[in-house]
Amino acid sequence: MIFSVPKNEKRSPLMVMKDVIFALLLREVKTRFGAFRLGIFWALAEPMAHVLLFTVLFGVRAREGFGSVETPVFIFTGIMPFLLFQNLFGKCKAACSANRGLFHYRYVKPINTFIARTLLETGIFIFTSVCLLTLFFWVGFQIQVYDILSCILVIFLLGVMASSLGICAAFLIEFFPESDKFLSIAMKPMLFISGVFYTLDMIPTQYHHFLLWNPVLHAIELFRTAFIESFETQHASLFYLFLVALGSLFLALRLYRSHWTRMVAT
Amino acid sequence: MIELNNVTKYYVTKLGKKYVLRDVSFVIPEGRDVAILGKNGAGKSTLLRLLGGIDFPNRGTISSNKRISWPLALSSGFQGSMTGRENVEFVCRVYGNKAIAKTCRFVKDFSEIQDYFELPIKTYSSGMKSRLAFALSMAFDFELYLIDEITSVGDASFRKKCAESMAEKRKNANVIMVSHDMGTLRKQCDMSIVLQNRQLTLFDNVEEGIRQYSQ
């Protein structure tokens, strides 16, 4: 009756990490999509709802399009990077508290939960983007990505920044649990100050220097410029986005290196 | 062998730092079964987790060359919305066990939960959950098992099966055990650690430890 599973050979630390991240990734997919009948459809619902809502709003105001593109495509170029930022930040922020029970398996370390969630959110971003673009194309909108390499670069920097800030937030909450409430209030206006449904050029110049502190605005402006040929931005700076991404990555890794055991301790 | 080097562990509370261990150094030799004794709140479970590498000291280092288990029959690592099978698969992947199908079959048979194995864990009774957890622990070969106050699982026949399977494992593996039942400790262990006043004393047998602890 009792047999034993063969002893596994020694794995290198990198192999262990790969195994753990893969296991966590599958687990996240199952808990996120497996429990619902419509599963993956819900990942599409959120960006579609946003695109629809803003298209209707602009439609009411009888706006035909923005420059050379139709309204839905314009909204798409704003809402997709924004949702990527919001989801990466939120998921990384809660990565450890949601997986605390798993740290009883000694190979599962907090960094693995951060990486697994970042990979999953990035995957969902790519999947939903391709689906929406296909849908737009099918409906008959003009879809032409002007500079895809720049798009990828902007998304990469935005992703690094969002995950890093999420990790920093996770530590902040670990040290001061009440800061979670503050953070969720602080994130509320992000949708309105990040240029999701407007470009900076539509805002009076005297407010520019307030809005330009927001790195997400830079990312969205840059993404739009790279995506839509006729768009230009004089204000958004790739260098600023790069600096914020690098700075937050440094801070996240620094905090992680000195305090990661606090995440595991019960 | 597990080596502790100047280990300090404390918890920060509203009343300041509460020390569990303070500058403790010792070595648990190869091939010994260790009983951990101490009053409630002395930090037995914390010490067990420290030794098992799932909690970490504030200062100092703990090193070991053993393959150490998770605390035996632990069910807090289970995800309620996932099925028994999915949870077992997860643990297999984490521990690099490639024989996932075989392990699942073993766990399903051993735990005797039958088709509940394919249902979400949140639909389980607490007895079924701990049977699954115990079966999962038995599906892996570790060199050192951590046992934290194991409460009896299931009915008499299942308990007997657990004891037999554990005895089988013990041929190639050692245990570190926290328990308030001196009978179990006497039977299972051959050395003891007594946690008292944030200091830790090693005894080469269980009897002396028990005597020290009951003083």
Side-chain angles (χ1 to χ4, degrees):
Chain A
M1 169 70 205
I2 292 162
F3 71 93
S4 52
V5 170
K7 269 185 193 167
N8 56 309
E9 67 282 13
K10 288 262 182 252
R11 294 178 291 169
S12 69
L14 217 62
M15 278 289 285
V16 173
M17 192 169 185
K18 197 206 81 189
D19 285 350
V20 172
I21 290 173
F22 179 66
L24 284 168
L25 202 61
L26 281 186
R27 182 192 174 92
E28 292 273 343
V29 170
K30 274 181 190 140
T31 47
R32 283 284 273 298
F33 303 116
F36 302 105
R37 207 169 286 256
L38 290 171
I40 195 76
F41 169 79
W42 291 113
L44 277 170
E46 197 181 11
M48 264 164 73
H50 277 95
V51 169
L52 259 172
L53 175 74
F54 286 117
T55 308
V56 169
L57 282 181
F58 284 119
V60 169
R61 296 182 55 196
R63 177 135 197 173
E64 283 295 305
F66 293 79
S68 60
V69 294
E70 287 94 340
T71 312
V73 181
F74 176 81
I75 298 298
F76 170 89
T77 56
I79 199 68
M80 290 313 291
F82 178 77
L83 286 179
L84 178 71
F85 171 79
Q86 195 182 45
N87 292 340
L88 277 176
F89 180 80
K91 290 291 170 189
C92 284
K93 190 179 75 167
C96 282
S97 47
N99 288 315
R100 197 142 270 174
L102 300 185
F103 299 136
H104 286 295
Y105 304 117
R106 63 191 316 224
Y107 298 121
V108 184
K109 297 281 186 275
I111 190 79
N112 298 325
T113 64
F114 292 130
I115 295 176
R117 287 197 157 189
T118 302
L119 289 178
L120 179 63
E121 287 307 325
T122 313
I124 293 175
F125 167 81
I126 294 169
F127 173 78
T128 46
S129 298
V130 170
C131 283
L132 276 184
L133 285 179
T134 314
L135 186 73
F136 286 163
F137 182 75
W138 182 66
V139 171
F141 293 137
Q142 278 286 327
I143 303 287
Q144 199 169 30
V145 186
Y146 171 59
D147 182 357
I148 195 155
L149 286 179
S150 296
C151 286
I152 293 172
L153 177 66
V154 171
I155 291 301
F156 174 75
L157 289 176
L158 179 70
V160 168
M161 182 188 80
S163 289
S164 305
L165 289 177
I167 295 171
C168 294
F171 279 100
L172 187 68
I173 292 165
E174 183 65 33
F175 293 131
F176 314 102
E178 279 179 322
S179 59
D180 196 12
K181 295 193 193 335
F182 171 77
L183 277 175
S184 48
I185 295 172
M187 287 298 287
K188 286 267 188 282
M190 281 304 275
L191 179 65
F192 302 101
I193 61 169
S194 299
V196 172
F197 47 86
Y198 56 83
T199 66
L200 201 58
D201 292 329
M202 303 176 191
I203 304 290
T205 327
Q206 67 262 38
Y207 303 121
H208 280 188
H209 65 280
F210 294 118
L211 289 171
L212 277 170
W213 281 102
N214 178 5
V216 184
L217 176 78
H218 284 259
I220 290 178
E221 288 268 310
L222 289 167
F223 184 73
R224 217 166 248 154
T225 312
F227 197 94
I228 304 167
E229 190 176 0
S230 59
F231 265 80
E232 293 282 343
T233 175
Q234 290 107 40
H235 312 285
S237 144
L238 192 64
F239 186 62
Y240 179 71
L241 182 64
F242 172 74
L243 277 188
V244 177
L246 194 69
S248 49
L249 181 64
F250 172 78
L251 187 63
L253 293 179
R254 185 72 196 86
L255 281 169
Y256 188 84
R257 185 146 171 81
S258 30
H259 299 297
W260 70 272
T261 53
R262 286 202 47 164
M263 293 282 181
V264 181
T266 34
Chain B
M1 193 181 82
I2 302 179
E3 196 178 340
L4 281 79
N5 214 333
N6 284 321
V7 169
T8 298
K9 174 76 183 172
Y10 55 78
Y11 288 104
V12 181
T13 67
K14 275 182 188 154
L15 306 173
K17 289 176 182 173
K18 293 284 180 203
Y19 282 89
V20 180
L21 298 171
R22 209 159 192 171
D23 293 320
V24 174
S25 299
F26 68 91
V27 172
I28 296 177
E30 198 82 21
R32 302 297 294 269
D33 300 307
V34 188
I36 299 177
L37 294 157
K39 295 205 172 61
N40 272 331
K44 300 186 293 293
S45 299
T46 305
L47 178 62
L48 189 80
R49 286 204 303 272
L50 286 171
L51 294 176
I54 50 179
D55 201 344
F56 299 89
N58 299 87
R59 280 196 298 277
T61 55
I62 299 173
S63 55
S64 147
N65 54 356
K66 290 278 181 187
R67 298 194 321 121
I68 306 175
S69 78
W70 59 86
L72 198 72
L74 169 106
S75 51
S76 64
F78 288 150
Q79 168 97 40
S81 63
M82 277 162 48
T83 68
R85 180 183 296 277
E86 286 167 342
N87 276 289
V88 171
E89 284 171 353
F90 172 76
V91 177
C92 286
R93 288 194 189 100
V94 165
Y95 279 82
N97 178 349
K98 296 282 184 287
I100 293 181
K102 201 171 148 196
T103 308
C104 282
R105 222 175 306 129
F106 171 79
V107 172
K108 189 177 175 182
D109 289 343
F110 193 102
S111 61
E112 298 167 14
I113 58 171
Q114 288 153 9
D115 52 354
Y116 267 92
F117 194 55
E118 317 294 345
L119 289 174
I121 299 252
K122 63 185 171 208
T123 62
Y124 289 21
S125 72
S126 61
M128 283 155 69
K129 214 189 282 179
S130 40
R131 286 214 302 263
L132 181 73
F134 193 88
L136 182 58
S137 299
M138 288 300 108
F140 287 80
D141 281 325
F142 292 108
E143 293 166 325
L144 187 61
Y145 283 88
L146 305 179
I147 304 177
D148 191 355
E149 202 75 69
I150 186 159
T151 45
S152 46
V153 178
D155 53 19
S157 73
F158 189 77
R159 276 212 291 278
K160 187 158 163 279
K161 191 161 80 174
C162 289
E164 277 168 10
S165 138
M166 198 60 219
E168 185 69 31
K169 295 276 176 199
R170 289 291 306 277
K171 285 179 186 164
N172 311 309
N174 295 107
V175 292
I176 298 178
M177 200 178 242
V178 171
S179 178
H180 286 291
D181 178 20
M182 297 304 149
T184 318
L185 293 179
R186 279 197 185 97
K187 212 167 95 189
Q188 300 283 344
C189 306
D190 61 7
M191 69 175 285
S192 53
I193 294 174
V194 178
L195 268 169
Q196 251 166 359
N197 311 322
R198 271 155 238 102
Q199 273 307 325
L200 186 154
T201 330
L202 258 74
F203 294 94
D204 208 29
N205 57 53
V206 182
E207 280 310 320
E208 266 180 74
I210 291 179
R211 216 173 304 133
Q212 171 78 23
Y213 161 68
S214 28
Q215 264 174 18

